[in-house]
Amino acid sequence: MLKLLFWGGLLALIFFGLRARYQRFRRRMRGEPEPEQQGPKTVTLILIAIGLVYGGVIVFRLATDGLDGIFY
């Protein structure tokens, strides 16, 4: 399950990163100005997502195996 989460997250990051670069490239080729960023930065969102995933894994391990699931 953890491998699936890891690879799915990694593929999502690669996909969204490439999509953002392509959109930025197309915008530059059309001569449009770069839009100002509104809302939280991407790094903040990634750190929140990582924290939620690891928090979910810890809660899952605690719920299924107790403390033995965390401290192998």
Side-chain angles (χ1 to χ4, degrees):
M1 179 173 157
L2 290 177
K3 285 183 183 179
L4 179 66
L5 285 175
F6 172 77
W7 287 111
L10 184 63
L11 288 174
L13 285 176
I14 290 171
F15 172 76
F16 289 122
L18 289 175
R19 188 181 75 164
R21 282 181 181 255
Y22 178 70
Q23 288 174 345
R24 196 174 304 129
F25 172 74
R26 297 249 325 177
R27 200 176 299 125
R28 258 190 248 142
M29 294 308 290
R30 287 187 295 226
E32 297 176 4
E34 287 284 329
E36 296 217 6
Q37 182 169 353
Q38 297 175 355
K41 293 188 176 185
T42 306
V43 173
T44 306
L45 295 175
I46 290 172
L47 291 176
I48 290 171
I50 289 171
L52 288 174
V53 167
Y54 277 110
V57 169
I58 290 172
V59 167
F60 176 76
R61 293 255 175 119
L62 281 174
T64 56
D65 296 332
L67 290 177
D68 291 334
I70 294 177
F71 305 111
Y72 290 85

